Amino acid sequence: MKTLIVYCSNHGFSEKCANILKEKLGDNTDLANLKSKKVEGMDEYDTIIIGGSIHAGKIQKQLKQFLSQNENFLMSKKIGLYLCCADHEKYDAYFESEIPQSILNNAFIKVHLGHAYYMDKLNFMFKAMIKKFANIEESQEKIRYDQMDLLLDKINSNN
Ligand SMILES: Cc1cc2nc3c(=O)[nH]c(=O)nc-3n(C[C@H](O)[C@H](O)[C@H](O)COP(=O)(O)O)c2cc1C
């Protein structure tokens, strides 16, 4: 049984989560970065995990486009979803506002994998915003391993 992890990441955290998932799932898992290439050959996968992050209340435009262009196709697959965002109380609301309802309904799991601020990767304007609105000056990384384990268990039991 093959799994594809399709992800979109602005500053590397969602990508790190995708890499950890791939490592834990083993050989039958591939990665597709929506920022670097068009996703092809999805037919050969039984399970598709889709992940991204929230910036100014929204998922990345590449992820939004991928979801809308493949909405019908994704109905025929087992799909799991993950989001990364700093506001841990809002992630349910972000799923509802950012992911098409049909995809949410078809997903066997939706998880919040935490967030990171990598200060060295932010430009001056974003750094200033994070300092002002989140009161954060140093890089931080909070991976929700409990949620990651839930996702991994579900993928393994589905396959
Ligand atoms: C400029 C900027 C805007 C952000 N806006 C939000 C937001 O509106 N809501 C939220 O919960 N998190 C927000 N975050 C936190 C990101 O979702 C978090 O840093 C996430 O881990 C980014 O993942 P990525 O590195 O894969 O892009 C923001 C982060 C940055 C840098």
Side-chain angles (χ1 to χ4, degrees):
M1 293 291 191
K2 291 188 75 178
T3 300
L4 177 67
I5 304 170
V6 178
Y7 68 91
C8 203
S9 184
N10 285 21
H11 302 110
F13 182 69
S14 311
E15 180 164 53
K16 180 168 187 171
C17 292
N19 282 320
I20 297 173
L21 289 169
K22 177 178 161 49
E23 201 180 299
K24 292 191 185 249
L25 287 166
D27 285 345
N28 283 329
T29 305
D30 293 319
L31 293 174
N33 178 355
L34 287 173
K35 291 221 171 176
S36 63
K37 64 169 184 169
K38 200 165 175 282
V39 186
E40 282 166 347
M42 282 194 289
D43 267 334
E44 65 180 282
Y45 297 93
D46 309 284
T47 302
I48 300 180
I49 305 302
I50 304 162
S53 55
I54 298 288
H55 294 86
K58 306 239 168 269
I59 56 171
Q60 292 91 346
K61 65 176 187 306
Q62 294 91 339
L63 180 53
K64 195 136 218 166
Q65 203 173 32
F66 171 81
L67 292 170
S68 69
Q69 284 174 351
N70 295 288
E71 193 170 346
N72 289 338
F73 171 80
L74 290 170
M75 291 303 102
S76 66
K77 294 284 171 189
K78 294 176 195 165
I79 53 174
L81 303 170
Y82 74 85
L83 276 185
C84 303
C85 64
D87 190 338
H88 293 211
E89 298 197 339
K90 271 209 188 144
Y91 86 95
D92 255 342
Y94 287 139
F95 271 119
E96 291 297 324
S97 64
E98 292 303 292
I99 311 287
Q101 197 59 47
S102 58
I103 292 179
L104 284 180
N105 291 344
N106 189 39
F108 61 80
I109 192 167
K110 309 183 282 274
V111 286
H112 173 222
L113 294 185
H115 76 277
Y117 290 115
Y118 301 127
M119 289 309 191
D120 53 326
K121 294 193 183 156
L122 300 183
N123 66 26
F124 177 79
M125 191 181 79
F126 287 159
K127 242 188 246 178
M129 275 171 64
I130 297 309
K131 276 184 194 166
K132 183 166 180 210
F133 295 113
N135 201 18
I136 286 166
E137 307 228 359
E138 310 263 304
S139 290
Q140 59 170 238
E141 185 182 84
K142 293 188 178 165
I143 302 181
R144 299 273 317 263
Y145 284 106
D146 58 329
Q147 295 293 299
M148 200 173 266
D149 286 345
L150 271 183
L151 175 58
L152 290 165
D153 283 351
K154 279 277 186 187
I155 297 169
N156 288 326
S157 61
N158 260 333
N159 285 332

